[in-house]
Amino acid sequence: LGRKLVVTMDLNHRPALGSWKDLWQMAEPHLQTLDLVVFSIGDVIQVGEVFGENFAADFKALKEESPGRAGAAGLDTLVRNCVVKLQSYLGNRTNIAVTCKARDQVPGELPQQLRWSILCRK
């Protein structure tokens, strides 16, 4: 006892349970009580839209320019830039992690993918 309890939240939106906007309205007021919130790239896009950012266009352009694992470095940079903006918009209330993946699918072969997370401290 006496140890700090670490509290994290992974938004993990499920459309059958409600809209992303509903989820965000419930989660956002509690950010300052969290040690870490975990976003997917889709969440980064959605939160960006709340603040008037069009991150979706940037992610789409990157995917078209450098699809799959070839685009992993560019994806890493783009996510970092978006998360720094989100951290500012959210008032640096919590640490933010984003789960990333880049996958290649060659017909007749098993998919190859890279998975990693990016952390932006408050």
Side-chain angles (χ1 to χ4, degrees):
L1 294 175
R3 294 183 187 167
K4 182 181 181 209
L5 177 66
V6 176
V7 180
T8 67
M9 177 174 54
D10 185 338
L11 286 189
N12 203 12
H13 175 242
R14 297 288 187 245
L17 299 176
S19 71
W20 192 94
K21 186 176 179 179
D22 291 339
L23 174 62
W24 183 246
Q25 287 176 337
M26 289 183 273
E28 190 274 333
H30 302 286
L31 291 180
Q32 69 275 5
T33 67
L34 303 172
D35 294 293
L36 177 70
V37 63
V38 180
F39 292 145
S40 66
I41 289 175
D43 295 327
V44 169
I45 291 168
Q46 293 283 352
V47 176
E49 287 179 5
V50 168
F51 296 101
E53 293 284 351
N54 185 10
F55 295 149
D58 298 329
F59 283 102
K60 182 178 180 187
L62 177 66
K63 190 173 184 177
E64 290 172 357
E65 180 182 309
S66 299
R69 292 183 302 159
L75 179 62
D76 191 82
T77 300
L78 178 56
V79 170
R80 287 173 189 267
N81 292 338
C82 292
V83 172
V84 167
K85 287 182 181 179
L86 291 184
Q87 189 64 281
S88 178
Y89 289 136
L90 296 172
N92 299 303
R93 291 183 279 169
T94 189
N95 298 302
I96 300 172
V98 180
T99 57
C100 303
K101 64 182 171 186
R103 181 189 317 214
D104 289 333
Q105 177 67 56
V106 177
E109 295 183 18
L110 292 174
Q112 301 285 316
Q113 72 177 358
L114 298 173
R115 292 177 154 272
W116 70 100
S117 296
I118 295 173
L119 177 66
C120 183
R121 298 187 59 140
K122 61 181 174 180

